[in-house]
Each structure stands twice: as C-alpha cells, then as structure tokens.
Amino acid sequence: MTATAETAAQASGAPSFPIPANVFAETVTEVKHYTDSLFKFRMTRPASFRFRTGEFAMIGLPNAEKPVFRAYSIASPSWDEELEFFSIKVPNGPLTEHLQKIQPGDTVLMRKKPTGTLVLDALLPGKRLYLFSTGTGIAPFAGTIRDPETYEKFDQVILTHTTRTLAELHYGEELVEALKTDEILAEISQGKLLYHGSATREGEHKGERITTLMETGKLFTDLGVPPIDPAEDRAMICGSMAMLKDTAAMCERFGLVEGSNANPGTYVVERAFVD
Ligand code: A2P
C-alpha cells in the first residue's frame, strides 16, 4: 500500500483491505437518488488525476481483497474540482448493489488511468454537435455540456436524452437548468445548448425512440434545425448496445462516419457500461 492510499484508507476508517498502487481511494462528498434505479454521487478528485471530458474510469469499492471494478463515464467536465458519476442500481449487481448504499464520507476506489472515445479530440471540426444519449448514457455528456471548450468548438450543442420514464429524465433536466444560472457557463452556453428530453413509455413522446425521431425528421423540426448534414454536423452516442447500433446506423444514413482518438471522424460511440 502506498503512503497516500494508506492515509486515505485510514481517514475514512472504512477499507480493511490493502489498496493497490494503481488505484486512488477517494471520499464521497454527495449522493443523490433520482429514482429506485438511478443515483448520482460526487467524490474528491485526486490532485494528480487528469482526464479529458467524456472519458471513463474504472470504479470499485474497498470491500474485498480483489474489488469488483466497473467502467463509469466521468460526468464531470475536466475542470471540475470533484468527480461526478451517474449510476444505475442493478439488482444483485456485484458492484452497484453495494455502491447504491454509499454515503458522504465513504471511500470509493478509482483506477488511475481514464480512457474513452467520447472526446472532442475524436471528432473533426464542425458547426453543430449532437449528443445522443439514453438512460445512464447521459453521464459523459454531463461533462461535455459543462465544458467551455465544447462551446468554443461548436456553434450549437444538442443534447438528446431518452429514457423509459419521465422521472428518469430528472438528472439531465437538473443539469440543463443549473447551467442557466452557472456563473461562467450560463453566458457561454446561452443560445447554443439545445436540450431534447423524452420518455418512450409515458408522456407526449410515448413510443418515440430517438432513432424514430431522427428517421421521421421530427427531432429536427422540434429543435428548429436542419436535418443532419455531414458537412457541418458531428455526433457522440452513448446508450445500450442496441441503441448504439441503431443510432450509429441512423447517423451513417445521414452520411456521418465513425471516428476514434487515432482517427477523428464525424461521429463517435461508447456504450453506457453498467448493466
Ligand atoms: P423503449 O422504451 O422503446 O425500449 P434501456 O433502459 O432499455 O436502455 O432504454 C432506455 C431508452 O432507450 C428507452 O427510451 C428505450 O426505448 C430506448 N432504446 C432502447 N433500445 C433502443 C434502440 N435500439 N434504439 C433507440 N432507442 C432505444
């Protein structure tokens, strides 16, 4: 155990297992539950931890000699002093059945190396940025919409969040509302950020998946923008495997081409991990 990890472990009083050298032990600062199956938590950020907005990290709990780690998108922008995560609660999930019970003051583990493709670097320059998300797939975009660099690079930023129920939209709605009064971001994002939240199993958009809204063109009409054009539009997609496949296919129908860190393109994908 390193001196730093040891100190962190003792401070929280929790971990009784040694913390590996490639792992940070951080303290939970805030927990908020949105529904029976969704919650966010914030924790301290190690001074040496650097990441690009949109990347993910491996998260675990100090409750076993060999803790279970799962990939979590970092929901903070890269400038944040803390780290935010948005999580599902999986019944009997090896990590989330415990993680959902965390309280401020508890310790959460995070492997030291973040990675991911939902980063501005993986996209070619453009005019409009679409952030297509379903469920907890909104997490990386919670960072993207709070990063001033996003608004430097794009004239318009369109966040779509589709969930089964209206209650599952609250985390995203809260983010967008908070931006409007944020000291720095309110001005930077004003008039540039468009939000389209919809539930598919209740409410006015019942039955309308994001792919349907794209295919019928209703999404563009509702937002007051032209249909996706590869000359000026870029997209990031985050959701379940099925959603990624279908939304990527739809983006390709509009002429977008998948990019990566090594080979920037006009759209990028990453799955919402914990399920
Ligand atoms: P639906 O209610 O029609 O299944 P999930 O929790 O299963 O990941 O779903 C989250 C949201 O993503 C729901 O609104 C769901 O719609 C939608 N969804 C599920 N599969 C797809 C898909 N293949 N393409 C687009 N949206 C999808």
Side-chain angles (χ1 to χ4, degrees):
M1 191 190 290
T2 64
T4 325
E6 195 171 24
T7 313
Q10 284 165 356
S12 77
S16 47
F17 298 98
I19 292 164
N22 65 340
V23 168
F24 292 116
E26 296 306 308
T27 306
V28 176
T29 56
E30 185 191 338
V31 181
K32 182 168 178 181
H33 294 265
Y34 289 86
T35 68
D36 288 348
S37 61
L38 291 173
F39 70 109
K40 86 164 173 197
F41 64 94
R42 292 178 66 86
M43 65 184 203
T44 52
R45 175 176 179 171
S48 63
F49 182 68
R50 295 275 169 275
F51 69 100
R52 293 180 299 170
T53 299
E55 287 190 312
F56 65 87
M58 303 300 292
I59 293 289
L61 284 171
N63 58 359
E65 185 106 36
K66 288 198 171 149
V68 173
F69 281 88
R70 290 284 182 267
Y72 271 84
S73 288
I74 303 168
S76 293
S78 58
W79 57 261
D80 205 342
E81 284 167 14
E82 294 186 335
L83 297 174
E84 181 169 318
F85 299 91
F86 183 49
S87 180
I88 194 169
K89 307 173 195 175
V90 184
N92 303 316
L95 176 59
T96 63
E97 72 166 328
H98 304 294
L99 193 65
Q100 65 179 279
K101 296 181 193 134
I102 55 169
Q103 305 278 350
D106 288 350
T107 300
V108 168
L109 305 180
M110 180 178 69
R111 288 216 182 110
K112 292 186 176 176
K113 215 180 145 9
T115 186
T117 51
L118 298 180
V119 292
L120 293 173
D121 291 347
L123 289 176
L124 295 167
K127 181 175 167 194
R128 204 175 284 112
L129 175 64
Y130 282 91
L131 304 168
F132 293 115
S133 68
T134 53
T136 54
I138 191 174
F141 305 145
T144 317
I145 64 165
R146 290 186 279 186
D147 190 337
E149 194 186 345
T150 307
Y151 304 97
E152 281 163 28
K153 291 197 164 167
F154 292 93
D155 293 344
Q156 263 184 330
V157 179
I158 298 170
L159 171 65
T160 81
H161 189 207
T162 320
T163 55
R164 296 184 185 194
T165 66
L166 292 166
E168 289 166 332
L169 292 171
H170 285 167
Y171 173 72
E173 289 168 346
E174 195 176 87
L175 279 173
V176 173
E177 273 313 301
L179 265 184
K180 291 180 189 161
T181 53
D182 185 274
E183 223 177 308
I184 296 162
L185 292 165
E187 201 180 321
I188 297 174
S189 62
Q190 197 189 13
K192 285 192 158 189
L193 177 65
L194 299 179
Y195 166 76
H196 189 286
S198 54
T200 45
R201 303 202 182 178
E202 59 178 335
E204 58 171 322
H205 292 284
K206 194 174 170 182
E208 295 176 355
R209 287 182 167 184
I210 187 62
T211 39
T212 315
L213 293 169
M214 290 165 84
E215 189 168 24
T216 57
K218 189 166 184 289
L219 177 69
F220 313 113
T221 320
D222 284 357
L223 292 167
V225 297
I228 293 177
D229 172 358
E232 54 186 30
D233 292 328
R234 305 291 173 256
M236 294 186 180
I237 313 172
C238 191
S240 65
M241 288 307 277
M243 178 273 191
L244 292 188
K245 187 168 160 281
D246 293 350
T247 313
M250 193 57 67
C251 284
E252 293 195 0
R253 268 172 58 176
F254 283 102
L256 301 186
V257 176
E258 186 170 0
S260 65
N261 276 293
N263 208 354
T266 47
Y267 84 90
V268 282
V269 301
E270 200 126 76
R271 63 179 294 230
F273 303 94
V274 179
D275 53 19

